[in-house]
Amino acid sequence: MGKVTGFLEFERLKEASEAPGSRVKHWKEFVVRLDDTAAKQQGARCMDCGIPFCSSACPVNNIIPDWNDLVFRQNWKQAIDVLHMTNNFPEFTGRVCPAPCEAACTLNINNDAVGIKSIEHAIIDKAWENGWVVPQPPKLKTGKKVAVVGSGPAGLACAQQLARAGHDVTLFEKNDRIGGLMRYGIPDFKLEKWLIDRRMAQMEQEGVTFAPSTFIGSQEDAAAYGGKLTCKTPDELKAEFDAVVISGGAETPRDLPIEGRDLNGVHFAMDFLRQQNKANAGDKIKGQLSAAGKHVVVIGGGDTGSDCVGTSNRHGAKSVVQFEVMPQPPESENKALTWPYWPTRMRTSSSHEEGAERDWSITTRKFVGKDGKITSLVGNKVEWVKDDTGQMKMVDVPGSEFEIPADLVLFAMGFVSPVQKMLDGFGVDRDQRGNARANAEDYRTNVDKVFAAGDMRRGQSLIVWAIREGRQCAAAVDTFLMGATELPR
Ligand SMILES: Cc1cc2nc3c(=O)[nH]c(=O)nc-3n(C[C@H](O)[C@H](O)[C@H](O)COP(=O)(O)OP(=O)(O)OC[C@H]3O[C@@H](n4cnc5c(N)ncnc54)[C@H](O)[C@@H]3O)c2cc1C
Ligand code: SF4
């Protein structure tokens, strides 16, 4: 603990950001990391708790009090070494993690939590700038070959760990660029894509081979996915490699099959976000979905919905409305009840700050259109009541029906499961939610030498969970191949 009285002397600082009015005019990141003095003060607020709840709440168990102290002492080099011990990609989590560590911080009980995420952001950006993030190629090669399918944070973390353990790793990805949802889901204004490219360069020097535009599955499914793809079947992978990790994400979006679903202008959020991310990468998108001059309605109140709001505002939408079926959460939580857990409370994202009308307890009844194009949305208010079995049930509020103009409707209601055909192709069993069945100890599926990690195993989640799963799965694969492992879990 660098400064015993730090938490009494200094207030929590929010990272500075460009004003909403000017940042909606571009796609770049707009959050400015803490400077050294500010980071030092924020580090000084940490109380170096006997039981660091922050670390246990963090899915990768970042050793937070240690790097808070190192930043207070301005020992940045050692701070990044400690941070990298538990997290392969702090530049991603330092930008877009919801930071469960901060909800669990002891200071959060009766004060503002330590700004853990902003300190993480400062450490990793400074480390890259100073050339401290260098490739860590293995000293010895094992001669074992591992295929990792899916290049999101789970696949990337798994591939990096396995390459560092000396295995020949090939990372297969059906998209033309590596990165999973970090590349084509999350918009540039939250996470610029050169950050992924920079890590890829490091990983290549550590021995990872990237194979984008390679579909793992049948020729038929590859053709249906579209684009010029190389195709490899699961059987080919199993024959060529000593172990296969499937980390293909949870890509089946939740649909709303109601009247008017087929009208032009009703789309899944990912179609909209993927196209914009590709356009930002310089690709020409024929007939790109645009919110310009349109009344946009986003259905779903989570991260994906919020990214649709930010993207629509940057397109120049006429209006943006976001509906959530669940009731409006309280402005702030009752910390005595919720701490150290993740609380349900009103969250206003940076995209919301840029302008959107939000409403809760809303269900959508139908879409109305003219000449095949959507023109309006009909919905009503609902109430959540307990039924006889104690389960919460949605009940329509009589007389609350409304109709609003809508030219573009985006479904952001989450993801149901992984694409089942990929699991079928490998012959992998599923759990009751349709995810690949494998435990979080050995990550093994029912199929010999096939492992599963990330959203494909746990269902839709977060980047930090995907990194954890990728790391732990790598340790399990290494143990399977070598009989023992030195990789951390
Ligand atoms: C719009 C959006 C915003 C989000 N924002 C945040 C956020 O701010 N913070 C946060 O922590 N989390 C966020 N998330 C969640 C987070 O992105 C995911 O939990 C995380 O990316 C999951 O990582 P993963 O590696 O398991 O899978 P993914 O990132 O989904 O990657 C899976 C990869 O597998 C590939 N693949 C699938 N099938 C095949 C196949 N047959 N052959 C070859 N390749 C295949 C896919 O193309 C994909 O690239 C967001 C999600 C979305 C959709
Ligand atoms: S819980 Fe908060 S105050 Fe305690 S060690 Fe972690 S960051 Fe520091």
Coordinates of all heavy atoms in Angstrom, one line a residue, residues 45-49 52-54 64-65 68 104-107 114 116, ligand 2:
R45 N -5.2 5.5 -4.0 CA -6.4 5.3 -3.3 C -6.6 3.9 -2.8 O -7.5 3.6 -2.0 CB -7.6 5.7 -4.2 CG -7.6 7.2 -4.6 CD -8.9 7.6 -5.3 NE -10.1 7.5 -4.5 CZ -11.2 6.8 -4.7 NH1 -11.2 6.0 -5.8 NH2 -12.2 6.7 -3.9
C46 N -5.8 2.9 -3.4 CA -6.0 1.5 -3.1 C -5.6 1.3 -1.6 O -4.5 1.8 -1.2 CB -5.2 0.7 -4.0 SG -5.3 -1.1 -3.6
M47 N -6.4 0.5 -0.9 CA -6.1 0.2 0.5 C -5.3 -1.1 0.7 O -5.1 -1.5 1.9 CB -7.4 0.2 1.3 CG -8.2 1.4 1.1 SD -9.7 1.4 2.2 CE -10.7 0.1 1.4
D48 N -4.9 -1.8 -0.4 CA -4.2 -3.0 -0.3 C -4.9 -3.9 0.8 O -4.3 -4.4 1.8 CB -2.7 -2.8 0.1 CG -1.9 -4.0 -0.1 OD1 -2.4 -5.0 -0.7 OD2 -0.7 -4.0 0.4
C49 N -6.2 -4.2 0.5 CA -7.0 -5.0 1.5 C -6.4 -6.3 1.8 O -5.8 -7.0 0.9 CB -8.4 -5.2 0.9 SG -9.2 -3.6 0.5
P52 N -8.4 -9.0 -0.9 CA -8.7 -8.1 -2.1 C -9.9 -8.6 -2.9 O -9.7 -9.5 -3.8 CB -7.4 -8.2 -2.9 CG -6.7 -9.4 -2.5 CD -7.2 -9.9 -1.2
F53 N -11.0 -8.1 -2.6 CA -12.3 -8.6 -3.2 C -12.2 -8.3 -4.7 O -12.8 -9.0 -5.5 CB -13.5 -7.9 -2.6 CG -13.8 -8.5 -1.3 CD1 -13.3 -7.9 -0.1 CD2 -14.7 -9.6 -1.2 CE1 -13.6 -8.4 1.1 CE2 -15.0 -10.1 0.1 CZ -14.5 -9.5 1.2
C54 N -11.5 -7.2 -5.1 CA -11.3 -6.9 -6.5 C -10.7 -8.0 -7.3 O -11.2 -8.4 -8.4 CB -10.4 -5.7 -6.6 SG -8.8 -5.9 -5.8
I64 N -4.6 -7.0 -8.6 CA -4.9 -5.5 -8.7 C -4.1 -4.7 -7.6 O -3.5 -3.7 -8.0 CB -6.4 -5.3 -8.7 CG1 -7.0 -5.9 -9.9 CG2 -6.8 -3.8 -8.5 CD1 -8.5 -6.1 -9.9
P65 N -4.2 -5.1 -6.3 CA -3.5 -4.3 -5.3 C -2.0 -4.1 -5.6 O -1.5 -3.0 -5.4 CB -3.7 -5.0 -4.0 CG -4.6 -6.2 -4.3 CD -4.9 -6.2 -5.7
N68 N -1.7 -1.6 -8.5 CA -2.0 -0.2 -8.0 C -0.8 0.4 -7.2 O -0.5 1.6 -7.4 CB -3.2 -0.3 -7.0 CG -4.5 -0.5 -7.8 OD1 -4.6 -0.2 -8.9 ND2 -5.6 -1.0 -7.1
A104 N -16.7 -4.8 -6.8 CA -16.3 -5.6 -5.6 C -15.3 -4.8 -4.7 O -15.0 -5.3 -3.6 CB -15.8 -6.9 -6.0
C105 N -14.8 -3.7 -5.2 CA -13.7 -3.0 -4.4 C -14.3 -2.6 -3.0 O -15.4 -2.1 -2.9 CB -13.3 -1.8 -5.2 SG -12.2 -0.7 -4.3
T106 N -13.5 -2.8 -2.0 CA -13.9 -2.5 -0.6 C -14.3 -1.0 -0.5 O -15.2 -0.7 0.2 CB -12.8 -2.8 0.4 OG1 -12.3 -4.1 0.0 CG2 -13.3 -2.8 1.8
L107 N -13.6 -0.2 -1.2 CA -13.9 1.3 -1.1 C -15.3 1.6 -1.7 O -15.9 2.5 -1.3 CB -12.9 2.1 -2.0 CG -11.8 2.8 -1.3 CD1 -11.1 3.7 -2.3 CD2 -12.3 3.6 -0.1
V114 N -11.9 2.2 -6.3 CA -10.7 2.6 -6.9 C -10.9 2.5 -8.5 O -11.6 1.6 -8.9 CB -9.5 1.6 -6.5 CG1 -8.3 1.8 -7.3 CG2 -9.3 1.8 -5.0
I116 N -9.9 1.1 -11.0 CA -9.0 0.0 -11.4 C -8.8 -0.1 -13.0 O -7.7 -0.2 -13.5 CB -9.6 -1.3 -10.9 CG1 -9.7 -1.3 -9.4 CG2 -8.7 -2.5 -11.4 CD1 -10.5 -2.4 -8.7
Ligands
SF4_2 S1 -10.6 -4.0 -3.1 FE1 -10.2 -1.9 -3.8 S2 -9.1 -1.0 -2.1 FE2 -9.0 -3.2 -1.8 S3 -7.1 -4.0 -2.8 FE3 -8.7 -4.1 -4.3 S4 -8.6 -2.1 -5.4 FE4 -7.5 -1.9 -3.5

